[in-house]
Amino acid sequence: MSEKSEKFIVPIGPQHPALKEPGHFEFTVDGEVVTGASVRLGYAHRGIEKATESRNWTQNMYLLERICGICSHIHALAYCLGVEKLAGVSAPPRAQAIRSVVAELERIHSHLMWLGVAAHEAGFETLFMYSWRDRETLMDVLEALTGNRVNYSANLIGGVKFDINADQRDTILRALEFLEERTAHYMDIVTTDVVFLRRTRGIGTTSAAQAELLGLVGPTARASGVARDVRIDAPYAAYADFPVTLILHNVGDLESRFIVRINELLESYRLIRQILDHMPEGELTARVPRRIKEGETISRVEAPRGELFYFIKSNGSDTPERIKVRTPTMCNMASVPVLGIGQQLADIPMILAGIDPCFSCNDRAAVIHQGDDGDTWTWERLRQYGIDYYRGQP
Amino acid sequence: MSAVFQTAITKAMRQIRAWARINSPWAIHFNTGSCNGCDIEILATLTPRYDVERLGVKLQGSPRHADVLICTGPVTRQARERLIRTYEQMPEPKFVIAIGSCATAGGVFRGCYNVIGQIDEVIPVDVYVLGCPPRPEAITYGMVKLLNKIKEAKTEAADTL
């Protein structure tokens, strides 16, 4: 690994106390300073993309929702938008507005959750407990709307499953009022608490150029001053009618990631209020045929962690021919080994938490090399592997 | 006299052990390929609204300090070895709780090429908590079920525990 024998490799994971999800990291350290880092992922790879090919369009909605339990709605939304585009229908305006409301509620729950987890990595347990307590208010709202706390399955292909009535509207507004007050308090804490700032200010700084080079997305990129938000660049659902204000910060360290995400919370509160005040009237679903027309399409949405990308190909039957998912963590993960070098080992969990990693989203495909296989699989070889694999099946 | 005395000592020790086990089951959490939904509900169970710590449950970092292994998700081919290793590193007596539909039956991922199946195909499971994901109340209930199971075992085959 290295010519100097006094260097030491710290293996972490896949079962580790820092994160809830499995991932394996190896850090080469020189004393306390990290000099090399490698990441091994794929512990949560389940083979969902292949599994979509054996389920029909409706069943896939429930499967794809379970790519990630945190951003489940946005996965289903990206899929539904893509399939609707292929089928040539579009959901009614009221359904689109409800989709946006749920997407923003999900962003709030995800960012509050991240705030707690990131504070936990910094050893700030009080903030962890407080933000998770406040998050429960939002979970109640999501449950009141959709009937489930996680994996809400609000979408249908061609619309949504439920309406928002006046009572529910009041519940949401009341929850937002409480959360807004708390969020302002959190903003105060993460920008003024001296102990906490020692863990975040100037740590893991990513310049805008570096962020572009690494291809960062979502709040991680916006904290480095890269103006990149799918809700603004290519509005979907109701975002064309209810525009989002871009949240930017230029420093690029962990502190600015906190600031960007907390400002995004405030922006989401504003947006939900605006949508609820100007909710379009009308139907909730459009008719969609059981078989989707032949063709292929892409669908992009802004998940809480960044741009989520779906490629969907239909062959005209009731099952998709191919679905490819590219998740935001996949783009952001590459920054961890790069930014980690030269930092203290104790800061690594914070740098990792700073991108808001989601391994279940991330683990899309895994190829494990044994021996001198070479690094790249040719298409032919991959195809042959697939044929051999499925021929071997009973 | 000594035989009676011996029995009384054994009985008392057994009671103390069971009392300690019931009051401080330290848990370790391992995600074997879950979608995260169950994991965030487990964390929610530990945080103030549901606060499972009042039952003495504390999340531990190391398997060597833990009594209860909380598993979520279907077992993927990569995570299988690690799950077994984590389980074997835990000191006896150890208990396993499988959280969520995937951990109990494979759930929506049954049939995926990289998924072996549910947790009990790899390691023995004591308590199953169903749901996708189960509510924090359900997870707490599963925990109480496990504690009751330990309590009942106290009167039956306590020496094996």
Side-chain angles (χ1 to χ4, degrees):
Chain A
M1 184 93 201
S2 72
E3 54 277 85
K4 279 192 181 171
S5 57
E6 61 263 36
K7 289 215 171 138
F8 188 74
I9 297 172
V10 184
I12 301 172
Q15 192 285 322
H16 48 86
L19 294 160
K20 331 185 265 331
E21 295 175 86
H24 181 75
F25 304 90
E26 276 181 5
F27 297 106
T28 316
V29 291
D30 187 4
E32 274 291 302
V33 179
V34 175
T35 56
S38 75
V39 184
R40 179 179 165 186
L41 300 166
Y43 289 96
H45 175 71
R46 290 148 290 185
I48 294 174
E49 285 172 21
K50 186 72 194 168
T52 56
E53 292 163 24
S54 57
R55 288 157 165 82
N56 70 30
W57 293 101
T58 313
Q59 286 170 330
N60 274 332
M61 205 171 61
Y62 299 95
L63 177 65
L64 291 168
E65 199 162 52
R66 282 158 183 79
I67 285 182
C68 173
I70 302 171
C71 34
S72 59
H73 172 75
I74 207 83
H75 273 280
L77 179 58
Y79 170 72
C80 288
L81 287 171
V83 175
E84 284 161 17
K85 209 192 286 175
L86 273 181
V89 295
S90 78
R94 192 174 174 87
Q96 300 283 25
I98 293 175
R99 281 173 172 182
S100 292
V101 169
V102 179
E104 290 307 313
L105 287 172
E106 186 176 72
R107 191 180 318 278
I108 298 170
H109 120 70
S110 175
H111 281 5
L112 279 175
M113 190 202 81
W114 172 82
L115 179 68
V117 172
H120 170 71
E121 305 300 347
F124 197 175
E125 294 291 323
T126 322
L127 181 56
F128 169 53
M129 289 294 176
Y130 270 119
S131 69
W132 276 71
R133 186 200 66 178
D134 297 340
R135 181 177 161 273
E136 288 297 329
T137 325
L138 198 89
M139 300 309 274
D140 288 345
V141 170
L142 280 169
E143 192 181 7
L145 281 180
T146 64
N148 204 3
R149 286 162 52 93
V150 182
N151 298 338
Y152 341 99
S153 64
N155 283 294
L156 282 172
I157 297 175
V160 288
K161 279 183 191 156
F162 60 89
D163 201 356
I164 297 180
N165 61 27
D167 278 355
Q168 286 166 330
R169 185 174 163 273
D170 292 344
T171 317
I172 299 174
L173 292 177
R174 233 177 299 130
L176 291 187
E177 210 167 292
F178 169 72
L179 286 172
E180 193 154 38
E181 190 193 316
R182 296 298 304 170
T183 309
H185 176 58
Y186 294 141
M187 189 57 149
D188 192 35
I189 290 175
V190 302
T191 51
T192 56
D193 189 292
V194 181
V195 180
F196 195 58
L197 282 178
R198 290 286 294 267
R199 296 300 310 273
T200 58
R201 189 167 281 174
I203 308 282
T205 311
T206 324
S207 65
Q210 217 173 358
E212 289 277 10
L213 189 71
L214 292 166
L216 301 188
V217 291
T220 319
R222 292 196 283 276
S224 298
V226 179
R228 190 174 284 167
D229 190 328
V230 183
R231 289 175 295 170
I232 295 160
D233 301 339
Y236 54 93
Y239 291 113
D241 302 330
F242 302 98
V244 184
T245 323
L246 187 68
I247 309 288
L248 275 183
H249 204 267
N250 294 323
V251 185
D253 58 357
L254 288 175
E255 190 198 359
S256 44
R257 292 182 187 174
F258 274 90
I259 293 171
V260 163
R261 286 203 174 89
I262 292 177
N263 276 330
E264 278 186 12
L265 283 175
L266 297 169
E267 172 62 15
S268 291
Y269 303 152
R270 186 198 65 78
L271 195 68
I272 292 172
R273 285 200 187 107
Q274 197 193 355
I275 298 176
L276 288 178
D277 284 346
H278 303 93
M279 195 74 135
E281 292 299 322
E283 291 291 308
L284 289 179
T285 50
R287 279 190 75 87
V288 179
R290 199 162 58 84
R291 292 173 194 279
I292 304 295
K293 272 183 276 181
E294 203 175 321
E296 51 187 67
T297 188
I298 59 162
S299 166
R300 296 161 70 204
V301 293
E302 182 78 10
R305 290 164 180 73
E307 180 188 331
L308 175 66
F309 179 98
Y310 266 65
F311 167 80
I312 303 166
K313 187 176 181 188
S314 168
N315 54 8
S317 70
D318 59 354
T319 58
E321 183 161 303
R322 175 85 172 98
I323 290 182
K324 165 77 192 140
V325 186
R326 196 191 68 165
T327 56
T329 307
M330 195 79 195
C331 311
N332 289 339
M333 189 52 88
S335 74
V336 174
V338 178
L339 294 178
I341 292 171
Q343 302 282 350
Q344 300 274 314
L345 185 62
D347 287 329
I348 294 291
M350 279 295 278
I351 291 173
L352 183 60
I355 65 163
D356 199 358
C358 173
F359 292 92
S360 60
C361 271
N362 190 13
D363 292 347
R364 302 259 52 82
V367 177
I368 308 299
H369 295 295
Q370 278 165 343
D372 50 350
D373 257 346
D375 281 341
T376 325
W377 279 34
T378 58
W379 173 246
E380 267 312 305
R381 186 169 163 211
L382 198 63
R383 191 169 163 271
Q384 195 52 49
Y385 175 79
I387 292 168
D388 291 346
Y389 180 85
Y390 282 97
R391 208 165 267 161
Q393 294 287 88
Chain B
M1 175 256 165
S2 68
V4 176
F5 185 66
Q6 205 67 38
T7 324
I9 289 280
T10 317
K11 201 181 161 201
M13 287 306 288
R14 194 184 294 163
Q15 277 172 349
I16 291 171
R17 269 210 308 270
W19 170 81
R21 260 166 217 159
I22 292 162
N23 284 293
S24 64
W26 282 10
I28 178 180
H29 170 216
F30 189 44
N31 172 337
T32 56
S34 153
C35 77
N36 246 337
C38 298
D39 309 74
I40 56 178
E41 291 298 69
I42 288 171
L43 273 192
T45 316
L46 293 162
T47 47
R49 167 81 70 94
Y50 300 98
D51 193 22
V52 83
E53 223 167 289
R54 68 204 140 95
L55 302 175
V57 180
K58 185 170 176 281
L59 208 58
Q60 268 302 310
S62 165
R64 299 196 191 276
H65 298 163
D67 306 304
V68 182
L69 178 61
I70 300 179
C71 288
T72 54
V75 185
T76 61
R77 285 182 201 279
Q78 274 214 70
R80 182 178 173 274
E81 294 302 316
R82 290 298 182 147
L83 177 62
I84 294 172
R85 209 157 117 186
T86 308
Y87 180 72
E88 284 177 350
Q89 281 174 349
M90 288 168 63
E92 293 280 352
K94 49 195 168 191
F95 308 94
V96 179
I97 303 185
I99 305 259
S101 302
C102 307
T104 52
V108 72
F109 302 118
R110 182 157 276 278
C112 288
Y113 64 80
N114 209 31
V115 169
I116 294 171
Q118 65 271 27
I119 304 285
D120 64 10
E121 290 197 4
V122 182
I123 55 172
V125 176
D126 295 278
V127 175
Y128 299 87
V129 182
L130 290 171
C132 185
R135 297 180 51 87
E137 286 96 329
I139 298 175
T140 315
Y141 181 67
M143 211 71 208
V144 172
K145 278 265 180 197
L146 178 71
L147 297 183
N148 283 336
K149 194 175 169 179
I150 301 173
K151 205 181 282 178
E152 275 158 29
K154 174 180 75 175
T155 50
E156 288 163 18
D159 290 330
T160 60
L161 281 178

